[in-house]
Amino acid sequence: MTLAPGRADTKISIRGVTKTFQARGAGRPFTALDRIDLDIRGGEFLTLVGPSGCGKSTLLDLVAGLTTPTSGQIVIDGTPVTGPGLDRGIVFQQYALFPWRTAAGNVEFGLEAKGVARRERAELARHHLALVGLTGFEDRYPHELSGGMRQRVAIARSLAFDPDVLLMDEPFAALDAQTRESLQEELLRIWERTGKTIVFITHGIDEAVYLGQRVAVMTSRPGRIKEVVAVAFDSREGDLRADRRFGEYRHHIWTTLRDEVAAARREEATPVG
Amino acid sequence: MADPALATRAVDEQPPRPGDQHWYDLPDDDAEPEEEPEPVVPAPRREWRPEWRSGVGRLVHRWSAVALLLALWEALPRLGVVDRVFVPPLSDDLAAGYDLLVTGQLGEHLGASLLRSLAGFALAVALAIPLGLAIGRYRPVADFLSPVLELFRNTSAVALLPVFTLLLGIGETTKITFVLYACSWPILLNTISGVRTVEPLLVKSARSMGLGPARLFQKVILPAAVPAIFTGVRLAGAYSILVLLFAEMVGAKAGLGYLIQASQSSFRIHDMYAGIIAISAVGLTFNQLLVIVERRFSTWRTSS
């Protein structure tokens, strides 16, 4: 490959990725992402935080292969991304569960796409629902489950077909604070157990610092990566949020983003000619 | 260009479909905790018995209005409030119906009507669902057919009955074609809108798992459209009887429509009412059957 990753353990390499959209009726194309460079290591938990409209989800769609970049390239394990694939699993904010399928049926969906045999599918579905703490809920339909449980099903579905990379687009944003916290803890537990590479989008700074080994801070209009903060705690045990350094990381990112939000507001106030 | 209009019309004609609501946005996602608290502990499925009992209570309540109507039908003619000659008491009509049943006349007419409506209805299901799926799925097909469909959809089936008669004679073919024509529209339009209103996020989610167009259609779009299709099928079921009756009144030698029309013109008023009662019984039964089939195929819709 011409675009060899810079480091040996790089899993996802995003190189000079730009994405523009042709706005309806407007003459000039809208730049959602501008020359993004980002390397994500294998087994890393990277969080991506930024103001709304900064192109976080667009970046995730590109990594997922659902859209193609206007310029630049995304390389996973040395192979350029050309389309969606089962080496990456996505978890959406709105769960995206198939309402006509039970919890187990939803988890099996990706396995069917992968061509796993029926018996093995059922076994894997049960295993992964157990992993997210939903034993006994296999036969429930999504409308019979709470929001938190639905998101657990969605996570189980993405884990079941065993992708290397888990892409999560604000997965806990629609949940109440308590459910969110317990799911964050569980996600960390699952990550430690499975060793997946996780790219996690959020607009919550606390969530970004709590979950990420590194936090990529994005700016808006056009979307750029302003800074990548390495979050290092001595230990993840106990109440991490009460840690002094948690507060420092949090404050640092907050200050960075505040300037950004202010800039975005000014931009919004000036009519685009 | 005609598509949006077509879609809006389809929406106008039917009760809210699941495509209109987002099953993701059910109360527990948003801030309405008093309506449905988060089930933290695995909540047992709702007990069968109490639900059944309250169901009976509701049934009694719902049918009391019908009972009242029937009581009035019996009482008012007897009390001389309405003319017995034109509106005989219910019991007289039922007695006449019983006579028709015993002599085999009712069965004969009923059989003729059912054969026609079921044939037309079945043909409409067989033709309109695939056509609707194709139109909903493939833009070029939609662009090509929409104007024609829009034109025909707005042409009343009743207005076309004389044309059918001219072309196909006055036999069974005409009546079955007539029912087929009338039944096709609700199925076709609901199928189209069912396919078109599939939640885009579900499509995106399935695509992200590497599903190609064919599998996507089979595993996502088709199942998501099933409730809308069934709404159309149920409407068509009702139409199949309504329009057939009209055709039978205009020109037929058998069938419930003929029975009603012929009884009225030969002043056998009891028989006329017996025919009317029979037709509403048929309609109710058919609709109930379709409701049962619909439930069977869409258990995942909000259980009620």
Side-chain angles (χ1 to χ4, degrees):
Chain A
M1 283 297 121
T2 46
L3 284 164
R7 292 174 53 152
D9 61 346
T10 298
K11 182 80 186 171
I12 306 169
S13 172
I14 300 168
R15 284 274 167 273
V17 164
T18 297
K19 179 73 181 174
T20 56
F21 292 105
Q22 188 62 54
R24 201 190 303 248
R28 234 178 22 174
F30 167 76
T31 306
L33 293 172
D34 187 30
R35 285 163 289 156
I36 302 282
D37 285 311
L38 188 64
D39 280 342
I40 299 153
R41 293 191 299 273
E44 183 179 18
F45 199 134
L46 181 110
T47 50
L48 204 60
V49 68
S52 55
C54 74
K56 303 186 292 271
S57 296
T58 308
L59 186 59
L60 204 79
D61 282 357
L62 288 169
V63 177
L66 291 166
T67 49
T68 49
T70 311
S71 66
Q73 197 172 27
I74 296 170
V75 177
I76 297 179
D77 285 333
T79 313
V81 170
T82 50
L86 288 167
D87 57 328
R88 287 147 286 158
I90 312 187
V91 178
F92 297 96
Q93 182 186 335
Q94 293 297 341
Y95 326 129
L97 296 180
F98 302 106
W100 56 87
R101 283 176 171 243
T102 59
N106 267 286
V107 176
E108 285 183 32
F109 192 90
L111 298 169
E112 288 168 28
K114 203 178 175 181
V116 176
R118 181 185 296 266
R119 182 164 296 211
E120 201 181 334
R121 285 205 303 260
E123 184 49 46
L124 282 168
R126 218 181 9 257
H127 171 76
H128 284 93
L129 283 172
L131 186 69
V132 296
L134 284 181
T135 300
F137 289 92
E138 290 86 355
D139 297 331
R140 298 297 179 88
Y141 285 93
H143 72 85
E144 297 175 307
L145 300 172
S146 71
M149 291 159 108
R150 284 182 220 179
Q151 195 56 289
R152 285 164 196 266
V153 175
I155 292 171
R157 177 173 65 183
S158 291
L159 287 171
F161 54 82
D162 198 26
D164 292 342
V165 178
L166 207 53
L167 304 170
M168 308 185 83
D169 192 356
E170 305 204 22
F172 306 148
L175 305 174
D176 64 82
Q178 250 174 330
T179 311
R180 188 182 308 137
E181 265 189 39
S182 74
L183 272 171
Q184 285 168 351
E185 271 172 43
E186 269 187 62
L187 181 63
L188 281 177
R189 183 177 59 76
I190 289 167
W191 169 64
E192 277 161 10
R193 244 169 89 175
T194 58
K196 304 281 178 207
T197 308
I198 300 183
V199 181
F200 187 107
I201 283 181
T202 178
H203 60 247
I205 301 170
D206 282 34
E207 189 169 60
V209 174
Y210 180 73
L211 291 174
Q213 291 178 300
R214 286 194 300 157
V215 180
V217 184
M218 281 190 77
T219 68
S220 61
R221 293 162 185 263
R224 286 194 183 121
I225 304 241
K226 182 158 185 179
E227 194 181 349
V228 180
V229 182
V231 177
F233 293 109
D234 300 331
S235 156
R236 281 184 172 270
E237 299 297 310
D239 189 358
L240 202 62
R241 292 177 182 84
D243 195 303
R244 182 182 52 81
R245 295 170 73 185
F246 187 93
E248 285 170 10
Y249 287 126
R250 203 195 151 281
H251 181 72
H252 175 72
I253 295 166
W254 183 82
T255 316
T256 315
L257 279 176
R258 188 192 51 184
D259 298 344
E260 273 317 307
V261 171
R265 286 240 180 84
R266 275 199 300 280
E267 177 97 0
E268 233 159 59
T270 23
V272 182
Chain B
M1 212 189 99
D3 299 335
L6 199 133
T8 345
R9 289 298 190 86
V11 167
D12 287 342
E13 278 178 9
Q14 39 179 277
R17 287 166 296 99
D20 300 337
Q21 307 154 340
H22 293 268
W23 36 71
Y24 316 106
D25 298 335
L26 288 172
D28 51 356
D29 297 354
D30 299 325
E32 287 171 63
E34 70 275 7
E35 238 181 284
E36 193 192 52
E38 288 246 331
V40 182
V41 207
R45 272 175 190 279
R46 258 188 286 165
E47 291 266 331
W48 180 74
R49 220 162 233 293
E51 199 171 65
W52 178 78
R53 239 191 270 139
S54 75
V56 167
R58 225 177 44 212
L59 215 64
V60 168
H61 182 71
R62 256 160 112 203
W63 282 88
S64 56
V66 177
L68 183 70
L69 178 76
L70 297 181
L72 285 174
W73 189 352
E74 182 66 30
L76 294 183
R78 288 196 186 282
L79 295 171
V81 181
V82 295
D83 194 333
R84 287 189 73 134
V85 176
F86 298 126
V87 186
L90 177 62
S91 54
D92 291 5
D93 301 323
L94 289 175
Y98 182 73
D99 287 343
L100 285 174
L101 189 70
V102 171
T103 57
Q105 284 184 71
L106 191 62
E108 187 190 315
H109 291 302
L110 189 67
S113 288
L114 280 180
L115 194 71
R116 291 164 185 156
S117 4
L118 289 180
F121 171 76
L123 283 172
V125 169
L127 293 175
I129 293 179
L131 186 61
L133 292 175
I135 294 174
R137 186 86 181 111
Y138 301 106
R139 242 309 95 156
V141 181
D143 290 343
F144 177 67
L145 287 177
S146 287
V148 184
L149 291 181
E150 192 62 15
L151 187 69
F152 275 101
R153 201 179 70 80
N154 285 296
T155 311
S156 163
V158 172
L160 288 176
L161 181 59
V163 181
F164 287 135
T165 312
L166 274 179
L167 294 176
L168 303 168
I170 52 163
E172 297 302 292
T173 322
T174 303
K175 293 181 188 66
I176 292 171
T177 312
F178 183 57
V179 173
L180 161 66
Y181 178 85
C183 288
S184 293
W185 298 109
I187 301 176
L188 193 63
L189 296 172
N190 279 284
T191 305
I192 294 172
S193 85
V195 171
R196 292 236 174 111
T197 54
V198 173
E199 176 63 41
L201 186 64
L202 293 181
V203 175
K204 189 176 173 182
S205 170
R207 275 216 311 132
S208 80
M209 285 184 261
L211 263 73
R215 303 273 297 278
L216 188 70
F217 186 74
Q218 177 210 344
K219 286 191 180 277
V220 180
I221 293 170
L222 199 56
V226 162
I229 295 174
F230 262 105
T231 306
V233 168
R234 215 147 50 80
L235 279 173
Y239 283 13
S240 73
I241 291 162
L242 290 179
V243 299
L244 175 69
L245 218 62
F246 176 78
E248 287 176 343
M249 284 178 162
V250 175
K253 291 193 191 73
L256 289 171
Y258 165 77
L259 173 70
I260 294 165
Q261 185 67 24
S263 305
Q264 193 258 7
S265 52
S266 56
F267 220 73
R268 287 179 285 119
I269 301 300
H270 295 93
D271 290 356
M272 181 189 84
Y273 282 108
I276 293 172
I277 292 167
I279 202 68
S280 54
V282 169
L284 273 174
T285 312
F286 197 27
N287 190 55
Q288 277 309 307
L289 281 176
L290 289 174
V291 168
I292 290 166
V293 177
E294 184 178 11
R295 288 228 181 102
R296 175 102 187 68
F297 275 92
S298 46
T299 40
W300 51 272
R301 289 172 80 173
T302 40
S303 49
S304 57

